[in-house]
Amino acid sequence: MSGQSLLVPGELSPVRSVPGNIRRPEYVGKPAPAPYTGPEVQDSDTIERMRVAGRIAARAMEEAAKHIAPGVTTDELDRVAHEFMLDHGAYPSTLGYRGFPKSLCSSVNEVICHGIPDSTVLNDGDIVNLDVTAYLNGVHGDNNATYFCGDVDEESRLLVERTRESLNRAIKAVKPGRQINVIGRVIESYAKRFNYGVVRDFTGHGISTSFHSGLIVPHYDSPHATTVMRPGMTFTIEPMLTLGTHEYDMWEDGWTVVTKDRKRTAQFEHTLVVTETGADILTLP
């Protein structure tokens, strides 16, 4: 792998504004969201609204990814996604969630998740994870993907491709009547082929009118993940695989999570609904 220097925090730009006519999630301006008390199984109207929000999130992520190139800042990627969501009437779900200051998460190289866009300049050979969630018509759609910046080394390229494949395999494992832990079992068994670490402390989650419903979707084979999947359940799967340990450190900002050994990591995510026969992806562009 290329011997690039480790990331350090950059400078934050001012918080981006959102027009008053765009509906905000209830947690904006509060220290934490209200606990979710609704059902895990959603009705058809909620699911179709989530599909619309998910499509906007996926397109916003694609639009931001088009700007990934050496010399571009992660803050510029945030600006692109922010403006795309506003132009489509959606609110960027991360903006103001538990005080998060930006409209997407940008996690570069050794950052596992929740990187804050700032003045950090992307370099040739970086891998960049973008995590974008859109809130529209009272529901959220959440997705992420890892992208190449310029000419990426083979070890990093394989990590990214295999992380994407682990998500694809996990989605195929979703079936009504199965326990949630089948998802993590599939991801972990695949990752072990390549001696990759599987991040344990950051998981997939239930999502609908709430950004995080309380349902946990581990990406390893957890004996505690015994919830049985039922048609209409909506949640994310978002495996985070590493070239080394699954253990992590947290930056002083309280958000940015980096691998303890500072080796690279990749992530992919979709929002899904369980169907009568499997899973339907709600975050397709």
Side-chain angles (χ1 to χ4, degrees), residues 1 6 110 112 197 242-249 258-265:
M1 191 178 74
L6 298 178
E110 71 269 20
I112 295 171
T242 74
L243 289 175
T245 183
H246 69 269
E247 296 180 343
Y248 68 92
D249 292 322
V258 296
T259 53
K260 187 170 281 291
D261 57 12
R262 303 305 190 264
K263 291 186 177 180
R264 288 187 169 188
T265 176

Side-chain angles (χ1 to χ4, degrees), residues 2-258:
S2 57
Q4 293 178 322
S5 59
L6 298 178
L7 291 170
V8 295
E11 296 290 325
L12 284 179
S13 64
V15 174
R16 293 189 162 87
S17 62
V18 178
N21 65 315
I22 291 181
R23 180 178 173 185
R24 282 124 168 96
E26 58 80 23
Y27 52 74
V28 175
K30 300 177 182 177
Y36 179 69
T37 57
E40 296 295 353
V41 172
Q42 307 303 323
D43 61 30
S44 58
D45 174 67
T46 301
I47 291 166
E48 289 312 305
R49 284 185 285 133
M50 290 180 67
R51 194 184 306 278
V52 175
R55 185 179 300 124
I56 290 172
R59 291 174 61 198
M61 183 175 72
E62 281 192 341
E63 195 62 33
K66 291 177 184 176
H67 293 75
I68 292 174
V72 174
T73 65
T74 55
D75 188 66
E76 173 65 9
L77 305 180
D78 182 78
R79 182 195 66 78
V80 172
H82 178 89
E83 293 182 359
F84 185 96
M85 284 184 273
L86 298 193
D87 287 346
H88 291 80
Y91 184 91
S93 300
T94 59
L95 185 61
Y97 179 78
R98 296 185 182 270
F100 192 84
K102 293 296 174 181
S103 298
L104 58 72
C105 299
S106 55
S107 302
V108 180
N109 296 343
E110 71 269 20
V111 179
I112 295 171
C113 58
H114 303 159
I116 301 175
D118 58 18
S119 62
T120 296
V121 175
L122 298 177
N123 294 307
D124 184 62
D126 285 343
I127 58 174
V128 186
N129 177 264
L130 300 181
D131 193 332
V132 179
T133 309
Y135 179 75
L136 182 68
N137 295 325
V139 297
H140 301 267
D142 184 4
N143 70 160
N144 73 53
T146 303
Y147 299 91
F148 302 136
C149 180
D151 185 17
V152 173
D153 66 87
E154 181 73 357
E155 186 179 39
S156 298
R157 185 185 65 78
L158 287 172
L159 172 68
V160 171
E161 291 180 357
R162 290 165 176 167
T163 305
R164 181 193 291 112
E165 175 64 14
S166 77
L167 173 60
N168 292 339
R169 289 173 180 237
I171 292 171
K172 290 177 182 176
V174 172
K175 295 284 191 299
R178 291 180 174 177
Q179 293 183 344
I180 285 282
N181 60 8
V182 71
I183 293 168
R185 189 177 310 138
V186 166
I187 292 168
E188 187 173 42
S189 63
Y190 179 70
K192 279 183 175 179
R193 294 191 197 177
F194 313 105
N195 294 315
Y196 292 157
V198 181
V199 173
R200 300 166 78 90
D201 292 324
F202 300 90
T203 68
H205 53 89
I207 184 171
S208 58
T209 57
S210 173
F211 197 169
H212 300 85
S213 73
L215 175 67
I216 301 299
V217 183
H219 302 120
Y220 65 101
D221 187 5
S222 169
H224 307 294
T226 56
T227 300
V228 174
M229 292 182 272
R230 293 175 289 158
M233 288 179 66
T234 50
F235 53 81
T236 71
I237 304 175
E238 44 188 299
M240 293 152 260
L241 305 186
T242 74
L243 289 175
T245 183
H246 69 269
E247 296 180 343
Y248 68 92
D249 292 322
M250 180 85 73
W251 280 7
E252 290 184 2
D253 61 25
W255 284 105
T256 306
V257 180
V258 296

